[in-house]
Amino acid sequence: IIINKIKVMYLDVNKAYSSFDSNLAKNEKNDCFVRALAVATGSAYEAAHEKAKSSFGRPDKKGTPNENIVAQMLNYEMNGMTIGDNTYSVSVLGNNDTKNVYKLYGKKVLRQKTLKSFIESHPKGTYIVTVAKHALTIKDGEVMDWNSNKFLPTRKIQGAYKIDSKEVNNQLKLF
């Protein structure tokens, strides 16, 4: 389905997201951040679960606190994030990427972007996005979320983190 040039895979989005073939995933709840982390990095659910637990302070069967996500992502922006054998670069997106500027009574006002406007301004790349009490992945303009969630284009972005594979290159670059 295409809505205003945004590809929405009505949350049957990616079979890998909604149906991880894992006993751990089947017995978990409130694990949207674990799933978003697994999909964004292409990691196994178990590896993402362990990362969320050890680094983000996520208790079993409970959600990951947003303040923990923000703090760890800022740390990973400087040092990179490793899940399993893979390392990823993390970019914490600031106000220019997560807020729109509007005029209100002649004054410029910053307001949180909606999922729709975020996707329009970031059609390429992989992002973990947090909205009120929920996390999801946007990959090349495609929303990857639970198939039981309905795509709500007006949900406000609270945080966004660009995830890239980190190239390990020890060769000296001259130019």
Side-chain angles (χ1 to χ4, degrees), residues 36-155:
L37 194 58
V39 171
T41 60
S43 302
Y45 181 89
E46 288 81 1
H49 186 276
E50 179 55 36
K51 187 60 151 182
K53 188 175 186 173
S54 64
S55 297
F56 292 91
R58 180 190 179 270
D60 289 340
K61 299 183 180 169
K62 296 196 186 261
T64 308
N66 194 47
E67 58 272 11
N68 294 8
I69 295 171
V70 172
Q72 268 311 102
M73 289 300 200
L74 285 168
N75 177 40
Y76 290 144
E77 185 173 39
M78 305 243 287
N79 303 312
M81 175 174 65
T82 302
I83 299 178
D85 295 333
N86 300 316
T87 302
Y88 304 90
S89 65
V90 174
S91 300
V92 177
L93 303 185
N95 283 346
N96 289 339
D97 292 303
T98 60
K99 298 192 185 277
N100 284 325
V101 178
Y102 298 95
K103 277 198 171 182
L104 182 65
Y105 302 115
K107 293 183 180 180
K108 290 184 180 179
V109 177
L110 289 177
R111 292 208 177 142
Q112 292 172 304
K113 280 189 178 187
T114 62
L115 275 175
K116 179 183 174 192
S117 62
F118 181 84
I119 292 167
E120 287 171 344
S121 63
H122 297 85
K124 296 286 179 203
T126 301
Y127 304 90
I128 293 176
V129 175
T130 57
V131 294
K133 299 185 179 192
H134 188 59
L136 53 99
T137 298
I138 296 174
K139 201 174 231 181
D140 293 330
E142 213 175 297
V143 176
M144 304 208 172
D145 199 356
W146 291 93
N147 58 6
S148 62
N149 276 346
K150 187 174 161 191
F151 176 64
L152 300 172
T154 58
R155 288 185 93 171

Side-chain angles (χ1 to χ4, degrees), residues 20-43:
F20 283 100
D21 192 19
S22 158
N23 286 332
L24 181 59
K26 291 174 186 167
N27 293 319
E28 269 291 351
K29 55 186 173 182
N30 298 318
D31 63 342
C32 59
F33 180 71
V34 175
R35 290 174 184 261
L37 194 58
V39 171
T41 60
S43 302

